[in-house]
Amino acid sequence: MSSAFEFAEGLPGGIVPAAADLELNRIKIFSALTEIPFSEKAEVTALRKIAELGHQAMGSHACTLVFVNLDEKHVEQVACAGFDPEFEQRMAGKRISMGVPGDGCFVDYELIARGEVVEKYDLERGGQGVANPRTAQRYNLRAVLSYPLWSEKRLLGYFSHFSSKLDSFTAEKKELLQVFGHQAVVTIERFETERTRERSLRILNELSRGLLSLSHGDFLRRISEAARELLSVPTCILWQYVKGEQRLKIVSASADVDPEYRRFELDPNEPNVKGRLETKRVTQVADVTAPDALYTGKEEARKRGWVSILTAPMYVENNFVGILDVYSKQLRHFKRWEKEALGTFANQAALFLHSETRVEELNRIAQEMAESAGEKALFELTLDRALKLAGASRGWISRLNIRTGELSIEAQRGDPMGQALEFGQGITGLALKEERPYRADDVRDEKWKAIYEEFWPDTRSELAVPILIQNVEVRVGREVRRASKPIGVLNLESVEPGAFSSFDEACLLLLAREAALVVEKRETDRKLHELSRVEYEILGQRNWDETIRVVLSGITTALGYDYVNISLVDRELNRIRTEYIAGIPDDRAASFKRMANHSLDSDDIQADIVRRKEPEVPAEADPRFDRKIYEWFGHKDMIRVFVPMMLSPDKRVIGTVEAGHRRGFREQHIYERDVRVLRDFVDFVTVALEQRRKETLHRIMHEFAAPAAAIRSNASFLQRRMNELPDHIVQRKFDDLLLDAEILLLHVSQVERFLGGQPPSSKPQRTIVYRDIIIKTVNELKPMMAGHGFDLAKVKYDVRDIPRMILYVDRIKLNQVVFNLLINSIKYAEDDPAEFSIRILLDETSDRFILKFKDSGIGINKEFEERIFERGFRTPEAKRKFVTGSGLGLAISRAIMRELGGDLILAKIFKPTEFHLLLPKSLREPPE
Amino acid sequence: MILFVDDELRYVDSYAEELKMEGFELSPHESVDSAVRFFDQSRDQVELLILDIMMPPGTVFKDVDTEGGLRTGLAFYRHVRERAAKLPVFILTNVSDPAVDERFQGEDNCWFFRKDQCLPFELAEHVKKLLGKGLGASGNGGEHAKS
């Protein structure tokens, strides 16, 4: 059997330092102590630190903190400092029963429940009602000084200082313990407030939803369960006022209320009951059994162990409808928020009890809202039904534009009069800004003068109800927090003063919440539907560039981001750099790409996302942002989410997707649901892109195999047979070898580019384009032409053009383009050799050189005239002619021409098929 | 006569030259349409078929599932087998997909050679053995056979 204060053997007694050191040490300890309630994120860690500091400050054998649960008669170990960590871990969270000492337990309930300072000696002899004597003996726990932790007259627990000596505790020790105990209370209260705030929001939201979806009995049960859960009380009773009988009867109660009590009835005119009802406020009686307590039924309460009561009278439009009571089984002083929460529950219950017909009506409307077609129809319907419920004839629903803050009118009844408002403006804007309904009984009243914005000149009363979703998850950094999501405002007006009641307000609040949820659900459904269409489109894509184009378009159009940046990891160079971008003008995108290139070991945000492997919404001016990019490209005005592109089998990150939009006046975060939708899409895209990459690499590998195998077979053939072969065959074999080597080198350069290598910088050299490139390439391709039976004489050019085109250009790059065009003309020629022809013409008449390549091949279908320049794309006709091919040639050729300051265009698609190489005339001059 | 079918004859020119120098008569075809035509007309003269796998399906196999031409050789092979069950066939290809290799392992009178593992003289040796002295169950450079 263990006790509440059980510890392992550990530290010797406190070591006494010199007085000055002691003072300095204490200052440090107190400084650290005051920060704990605000700096720690977890309650257990915070309390553990307090215990550690207490242990140091008081030179304790051990310092401990326990929570007390008087209802369930146990104490719980929360923090302990002074023993070995392993023992502390074993004890953490341990519950120890309280009762009468000697009757199977060691912790005295009566002693603990008193909530006074406990000072006990000789613990090893009998435990003194606070410890197991054997444990005390074993761990040398000889004396204890415990300070009760009270919060608003509620006993939370004890903070204790244990000594291994029997000396009396000094006054100084007692004062110190008090300081630490007080700080423990502040810390516990802070965490309790955070917890209850989140919990109460959740419970209230669920309750509101239940009002429109649960049956009568289920809803009443839910109210009592929710009140018990939120206020941590064992008992809840809901009384309904039966007007005809002038009695209050129990309509719902928690499970612990016995059948006998459920049959009780209350007389609302009985003085004690009447007294509480007349206040119309939530009130408490600290001890209902006390002789002077204003409470009827003391004996019944005593029999059931009820001590404190919190009671909320229920009124709807000044009509009394019932009472909602909660009881605790120990003395308890309820906090303000607890009173407010019970008041809210009581209002919900009142609404329900007062008008079951109206609740049924609300239920029906909620169903209609869910079935309405589109947002416009939803708002029209909501407004019509709201007007009918409140008996009004004019009103409107405005939708918030989260980028601009404008409230645009989406539905309106009554003659159009006023202008749309802005967030925070008028009663409408205020309702949304403060996230609560505003009811003005008379807008001409002085108190509304500074706020009210006239819409209709004869309006006297107004009710504005925010349409918003509370407690939505948002991503802040890498954490998920809670915030509200404003959608719009439901506004009703009347020419009569005081036209709207609190009951109307409560009903419309429910309608507005329902409308917000429907809007949110539809928005998410729309995004998912759009994305599934995009995903389907991606599945149909076979080439990389087109896949990326669909991805970028999906993120901007389906998910609504203004800006997208896809950065890819280059493991060989250990870098991450932007490869694709949307939302930046083309002329600036190139600069962006040059700048967005960082080492994977750097502190840059992209590198950090690759390392951390989780989505993040960094704060404004996060130090990991590249300062130049941040300032030059307006990122300081944007909110962005970064998602790693991770392959699931080995969690390998191949890049990042960054998506963002301009910070609206209220958009300080990105909703977690949107982050999840984007992350799922990025996961899908990552797999699809990796698949495309593998497919393309596979095709390229095959492109390598044919010329490589041919080189090998030709070399072997020559080696064995050269002496027997006539010269022209030998020559042809050497030509074949050279051509296949050229083809291999072309593929190598294509693969380099495909794998994302930076294009080599241009090395201009004086080049007679015809002689050094065109004629040379035609000669290299002779074997291929001969193989197809094509006549070399059918490749024609004008010899007078030879001296006209002498340029300072990167000869290797231009050669790659010409080689690619000519090899295509041969590969995709008609089968009949008689039809074969290639013509090369120079046009100098414009401001650029135009080198025209015309052939009489199979041509290009019009629908593919632009797509032939996409990486990986091959026309069906090309595939019919040659089964394999990487589809990279024209895409890379165009990229090369643009690097050279020119371009590659398809001028005619069929008979002749005509490609134009455009080159600036400035290339005639040698570079400076 | 050896019927030699490959859509890029330039790449197999050395094989063809080697066979010619060894005294074999060849009928090379770059399209399956002309090859099928030739085979159907001159079936009795064909002693051996040397066949590529990845080729455009042409007109003759346009309605057959050739996986976009990646398996046209297989369709050609079936066409031949239906008409000449015992004709020896050499598959000579760059296809490295093991599934293709396995597909032909169960076939009689059929041998599989990868171009990157079989030099022209090696192929000629196999042909000589087959047409002159008969071909063994295994040999050089990655081929396998079952007869």
Side-chain angles (χ1 to χ4, degrees):
Chain A
M1 175 66 69
S2 55
S3 86
F5 306 116
E6 186 173 47
F7 300 96
E9 286 176 312
L11 291 174
I15 298 164
V16 183
D21 289 347
L22 186 68
E23 192 51 36
L24 183 64
N25 198 28
R26 277 194 185 161
I27 290 169
K28 282 184 186 167
I29 288 173
F30 287 135
S31 165
L33 185 64
T34 52
E35 288 174 9
I36 287 174
F38 312 103
S39 60
E40 290 301 319
K41 287 186 176 171
E43 184 176 22
V44 171
T45 320
L47 296 177
R48 159 86 200 172
K49 279 197 172 175
I50 292 173
E52 278 172 4
L53 291 173
H55 166 65
Q56 287 175 37
M58 291 185 283
S60 311
H61 185 55
C63 258
T64 70
L65 195 150
V66 293
F67 281 159
V68 171
N69 187 328
L70 294 175
D71 283 336
E72 294 178 14
K73 292 193 174 179
H74 68 249
V75 293
E76 184 180 343
Q77 288 275 9
V78 182
C80 168
F83 285 97
D84 71 85
E86 197 182 316
F87 180 80
E88 288 168 23
Q89 205 173 355
R90 193 156 60 85
M91 289 299 289
K94 188 161 185 174
R95 289 183 175 186
I96 297 144
S97 304
M98 296 188 286
V100 179
D103 192 17
C105 66
F106 297 96
V107 182
D108 184 351
Y109 174 80
E110 291 295 331
L111 173 69
I112 299 297
R114 279 204 291 275
E116 296 167 353
V117 173
V118 175
E119 185 175 355
K120 296 284 179 188
Y121 298 89
D122 279 334
L123 301 184
E124 66 269 44
R125 288 187 205 160
Q128 306 297 332
V130 294
N132 179 337
R134 273 178 300 173
T135 310
Q137 199 170 14
R138 185 175 167 194
Y139 297 115
N140 202 19
L141 303 168
R142 307 196 71 186
V144 67
L145 182 64
S146 294
Y147 181 81
L149 308 177
W150 284 97
S151 169
E152 296 195 26
K153 299 182 183 173
R154 191 157 54 98
L155 182 63
L156 303 172
Y158 282 87
F159 190 74
S160 303
H161 157 75
F162 281 85
S163 173
S164 56
K165 297 172 187 168
L166 279 175
D167 300 343
S168 298
F169 294 112
T170 61
E172 190 194 20
K173 280 269 191 304
K174 289 177 183 173
E175 279 172 21
L176 269 177
L177 188 68
Q178 190 175 350
V179 170
F180 279 90
H182 175 72
Q183 208 58 16
V185 171
V186 172
T187 306
I188 294 166
E189 281 179 340
R190 176 216 141 181
F191 284 104
E192 200 169 56
T193 305
E194 271 182 22
R195 272 197 306 272
T196 50
R197 187 181 163 278
E198 273 192 20
R199 204 169 47 158
S200 62
L201 273 172
R202 177 179 55 79
I203 292 171
L204 285 171
N205 272 337
E206 283 170 8
L207 200 63
S208 300
R209 294 278 296 157
L211 188 54
L212 294 185
S213 59
L214 295 175
S215 69
H216 182 266
D218 284 346
F219 181 73
L220 292 177
R221 266 190 294 281
R222 181 66 62 83
I223 284 186
S224 55
E225 282 164 15
R228 284 183 63 214
E229 186 189 345
L230 184 62
L231 303 179
S232 303
V233 287
T235 309
C236 177
I237 299 169
L238 177 63
W239 304 85
Q240 184 172 16
Y241 176 52
V242 184
K243 205 172 179 180
E245 300 176 31
Q246 291 274 300
R247 304 295 284 173
L248 280 156
K249 295 182 178 180
I250 294 176
V251 287
S252 171
S254 49
D256 65 312
V257 178
D258 52 278
E260 187 192 344
Y261 193 84
R262 284 171 192 258
R263 286 194 292 273
F264 279 130
E265 295 181 2
L266 281 179
D267 178 0
N269 295 313
E270 197 277 330
N272 283 336
V273 177
K274 195 174 181 182
R276 279 190 284 144
L277 298 182
E278 282 176 349
T279 63
K280 293 192 177 177
R281 292 209 313 266
V282 180
T283 54
Q284 67 173 331
V285 177
D287 184 356
V288 295
T289 60
D292 56 345
L294 296 174
Y295 180 80
T296 301
K298 288 190 177 74
E299 191 49 40
E300 297 299 331
R302 193 175 291 117
K303 272 192 338 201
R304 288 164 179 85
W306 298 338
V307 180
S308 300
I309 183 175
L310 190 63
T311 183
M314 292 151 58
Y315 284 88
V316 175
E317 293 170 354
N318 286 325
N319 296 310
F320 175 58
V321 293
I323 300 175
L324 184 63
D325 287 339
V326 293
Y327 289 95
S328 72
K329 290 194 172 177
Q330 84 276 352
L331 197 64
R332 178 161 167 183
H333 292 266
F334 291 96
K335 295 179 183 177
R336 190 193 299 163
W337 73 263
E338 290 173 321
K339 291 178 182 171
E340 285 172 2
L342 192 71
T344 308
F345 284 129
N347 282 340
Q348 300 271 8
L351 188 64
F352 197 81
L353 294 179
H354 176 64
S355 176
E356 277 181 46
T357 321
R358 207 170 218 197
V359 168
E360 279 168 19
E361 173 74 359
L362 283 169
N363 259 317
R364 198 178 50 72
I365 296 170
Q367 187 63 32
E368 282 183 289
M369 287 160 85
E371 289 166 2
S372 63
E375 194 173 291
K376 179 89 177 157
L378 169 71
F379 287 152
E380 298 272 357
L381 177 85
T382 307
L383 179 59
D384 284 340
R385 299 299 180 267
L387 287 166
K388 192 176 169 196
L389 278 171
S393 60
R394 56 169 63 162
W396 76 89
I397 286 183
S398 45
R399 176 76 146 104
L400 177 69
N401 181 328
I402 48 172
R403 306 285 170 88
T404 63
E406 277 180 7
L407 284 159
S408 59
I409 295 171
E410 299 294 316
Q412 184 183 309
R413 295 291 178 266
D415 298 331
M417 297 294 288
Q419 295 293 314
L421 299 171
E422 291 195 357
F423 186 77
Q425 190 189 4
I427 293 174
T428 305
L430 205 58
L432 192 57
K433 186 178 178 184
E434 297 194 0
E435 302 181 358
R436 67 181 185 87
Y438 262 83
R439 183 156 50 96
D441 286 338
D442 190 348
V443 294
R444 293 179 192 173
D445 193 286
E446 194 62 30
K447 74 183 227 190
W448 299 111
K449 220 168 202 175
I451 303 167
Y452 180 67
E453 294 280 343
E454 187 179 285
F455 198 77
W456 284 284
D458 54 348
T459 287
R460 292 296 298 275
S461 52
E462 177 172 348
L463 174 59
V465 182
I467 301 173
L468 62 91
I469 305 167
Q470 288 173 316
N471 233 9
V472 181
E473 289 184 333
V474 294
R475 175 76 56 141
V476 179
R478 286 185 297 277
E479 289 178 11
V480 176
R481 294 191 191 160
R482 302 267 172 181
S484 57
K485 185 173 187 177
I487 288 170
V489 186
L490 166 63
N491 249 83
L492 301 190
E493 295 196 2
S494 171
V495 293
E496 301 293 333
F500 305 107
S501 65
S502 59
F503 185 53
D504 292 330
E505 186 181 308
C507 286
L508 296 200
L509 192 59
L510 286 169
L511 270 197
R513 273 193 195 154
E514 194 65 25
L517 291 169
V518 173
V519 167
E520 173 71 356
K521 183 177 181 305
R522 288 200 179 150
E523 181 64 17
T524 306
D525 287 351
R526 185 194 62 75
K527 283 179 183 169
L528 292 176
H529 177 74
E530 285 273 304
L531 275 190
S532 66
R533 188 188 55 72
V534 173
E535 288 175 358
Y536 186 74
E537 201 178 337
I538 288 170
L539 285 177
Q541 294 301 331
R542 297 259 64 87
N543 72 85
W544 180 278
D545 281 351
E546 185 59 13
T547 306
I548 293 281
R549 188 191 64 72
V550 177
V551 170
L552 291 175
S553 147
I555 296 175
T556 51
T557 54
L559 299 183
Y561 292 98
D562 301 332
Y563 159 84
V564 189
N565 169 7
I566 299 179
S567 301
L568 298 179
V569 166
D570 184 332
R571 292 281 170 197
E572 199 176 328
L573 296 175
N574 197 40
R575 299 193 77 77
I576 179 161
R577 57 178 170 255
T578 294
E579 297 285 353
Y580 307 95
I581 197 157
I584 285 184
D586 286 348
D587 57 333
R588 302 193 72 205
S591 313
F592 187 98
K593 286 185 187 176
R594 269 197 301 279
M595 293 165 74
N597 182 341
H598 297 93
S599 163
L600 285 173
D601 299 326
S602 70
D603 294 331
D604 184 77
I605 180 76
Q606 304 281 7
D608 206 32
I609 296 292
V610 172
R611 282 192 295 271
R612 292 181 185 274
K613 302 177 193 281
E614 58 179 316
E616 185 172 346
V617 179
E620 217 172 328
D622 187 298
R624 292 168 299 169
F625 291 146
D626 181 309
R627 295 309 306 173
K628 280 187 181 169
I629 293 176
Y630 187 70
E631 279 157 23
W632 291 8
F633 293 94
H635 285 180
K636 62 176 183 294
D637 301 324
M638 298 185 87
I639 181 158
R640 291 172 288 160
V641 54
F642 292 75
V643 180
M645 298 171 74
M646 191 159 62
L647 291 164
S648 52
D650 55 0
K651 296 200 166 180
R652 184 163 51 94
V653 178
I654 63 165
T656 63
V657 171
E658 171 193 348
H661 46 64
R662 300 252 159 246
R663 269 178 208 277
F665 80 108
R666 231 189 104 87
E667 277 183 296
Q668 301 307 317
H669 36 239
I670 291 181
Y671 296 106
E672 178 62 8
R673 189 178 285 187
D674 289 341
V675 173
R676 285 188 197 137
V677 168
L678 179 64
R679 188 196 56 198
D680 289 349
F681 181 60
V682 169
D683 286 349
F684 173 86
V685 165
T686 305
V687 173
L689 287 178
E690 185 67 2
Q691 189 61 30
R692 298 287 171 284
R693 204 176 73 93
K694 282 184 180 165
E695 283 170 8
T696 309
L697 279 176
H698 189 75
R699 288 208 300 270
I700 293 171
M701 278 165 60
H702 188 79
E703 291 289 281
F704 274 86
I711 288 171
R712 184 170 177 269
S713 64
N714 279 327
S716 168
F717 180 66
L718 279 175
Q719 187 185 44
R720 293 173 59 86
R721 297 283 192 180
M722 197 147 89
N723 294 336
E724 306 164 47
L725 293 171
D727 285 350
H728 74 278
I729 299 276
V730 173
Q731 189 55 50
R732 201 181 79 205
K733 287 285 148 196
F734 278 123
D735 288 345
D736 275 335
L737 284 168
L738 282 170
L739 174 59
D740 290 333
E742 285 291 336
I743 291 171
L744 270 182
L745 288 171
L746 180 74
H747 291 332
V748 169
S749 70
Q750 289 181 347
V751 169
E752 273 180 346
R753 282 176 180 266
F754 173 74
L755 292 177
Q758 294 288 12
S761 56
S762 284
K763 291 179 184 157
Q765 64 184 111
R766 186 172 181 275
T767 304
I768 303 170
V769 173
Y770 272 76
R771 186 197 71 186
D772 298 335
I773 295 178
I774 297 173
I775 298 170
K776 173 183 139 309
T777 305
V778 170
N779 277 323
E780 284 169 351
L781 290 169
K782 270 192 311 193
M784 187 179 262
M785 287 187 268
H788 288 86
F790 299 154
D791 186 354
L792 181 63
K794 289 195 172 178
V795 182
K796 291 183 175 165
Y797 52 87
D798 188 337
V799 289
R800 288 170 302 180
D801 288 337
I802 296 174
R804 289 185 183 143
M805 206 177 182
I806 300 171
L807 306 179
Y808 291 86
V809 67
D810 187 319
R811 191 185 295 174
I812 294 171
K813 285 185 178 176
L814 187 58
N815 196 91
Q816 276 182 28
V817 177
V818 171
F819 191 94
N820 194 59
L821 289 180
L822 288 173
I823 208 169
N824 279 351
S825 293
I826 299 166
K827 280 172 75 175
Y828 301 110
E830 297 282 8
D831 290 337
D832 182 359
E835 287 195 41
F836 174 74
S837 81
I838 297 175
R839 290 198 67 197
I840 302 156
L841 303 165
L842 177 63
D843 178 352
E844 290 181 280
T845 55
S846 69
D847 59 343
R848 291 191 284 189
F849 289 115
I850 304 174
L851 200 51
K852 301 176 178 177
F853 288 78
K854 302 182 179 191
D855 68 53
S856 53
I858 59 171
I860 292 156
N861 196 314
K862 183 153 181 62
E863 67 178 297
F864 304 122
E865 60 184 331
E866 265 311 306
R867 298 196 63 192
I868 56 166
F869 293 106
E870 290 173 7
R871 284 208 295 184
F873 181 78
R874 297 184 74 221
T875 66
E877 293 74 25
K879 286 179 188 167
R880 270 197 289 278
K881 189 81 179 159
F882 280 95
V883 175
T884 58
S886 66
L888 297 175
L890 286 173
I892 290 173
S893 294
R894 176 177 264 186
I896 289 173
M897 289 309 296
R898 289 179 177 174
E899 283 162 29
L900 297 176
D903 208 344
L904 171 64
I905 58 169
L906 173 65
K908 287 182 183 158
I909 57 173
F910 187 59
K911 306 285 181 192
T913 309
E914 191 171 325
F915 283 93
H916 289 182
L917 289 190
L918 311 180
L919 282 160
K921 287 188 172 167
S922 58
L923 294 177
R924 285 184 297 206
E925 305 302 324
E928 289 178 4
Chain B
M1 157 107 47
I2 298 172
L3 173 57
F4 203 139
V5 188
D6 194 304
D7 66 328
E8 290 186 275
L9 285 174
R10 194 179 71 79
Y11 283 142
V12 288
D13 184 61
S14 289
Y15 295 94
E17 290 292 339
E18 182 72 35
L19 289 170
K20 280 190 221 163
M21 291 177 81
E22 289 293 342
F24 294 105
E25 188 187 351
L26 260 64
S27 177
H29 292 263
E30 217 163 16
S31 84
V32 288
D33 289 342
S34 79
V36 164
R37 213 161 36 239
F38 178 84
F39 175 78
D40 289 349
Q41 287 169 2
S42 319
R43 191 184 318 166
D44 296 341
Q45 296 171 40
V46 178
E47 298 167 275
L48 168 68
L49 166 65
I50 299 179
L51 179 64
D52 190 13
I53 295 295
M54 287 200 293
M55 293 183 289
T59 310
V60 67
F61 297 126
K62 69 177 167 49
D63 297 325
V64 177
D65 179 15
T66 59
E67 297 182 31
L70 295 174
R71 302 290 179 264
T72 299
L74 192 56
F76 193 101
Y77 178 81
R78 283 197 210 102
H79 178 91
V80 168
R81 272 288 170 262
E82 284 164 13
R83 290 156 183 82
K86 293 187 177 173
L87 177 71
V89 178
F90 282 8
I91 305 295
L92 181 63
T93 180
N94 275 319
V95 172
S96 54
D97 183 353
V100 176
D101 191 342
E102 282 167 24
R103 165 66 185 79
F104 288 101
Q105 278 195 32
E107 294 293 320
D108 288 338
N109 295 318
C110 180
W111 293 266
F112 187 91
F113 300 96
R114 276 180 53 172
K115 288 174 184 170
D116 61 350
Q117 293 173 9
C118 179
L119 289 164
F121 81 91
E122 292 169 333
L123 184 79
E125 289 297 319
H126 290 305
V127 175
K128 278 193 286 185
K129 279 183 195 170
L130 177 75
L131 298 183
K133 306 165 208 167
L135 190 64
S138 63
N140 296 322
E143 85 284 22
H144 58 77
K146 186 179 177 188
S147 56

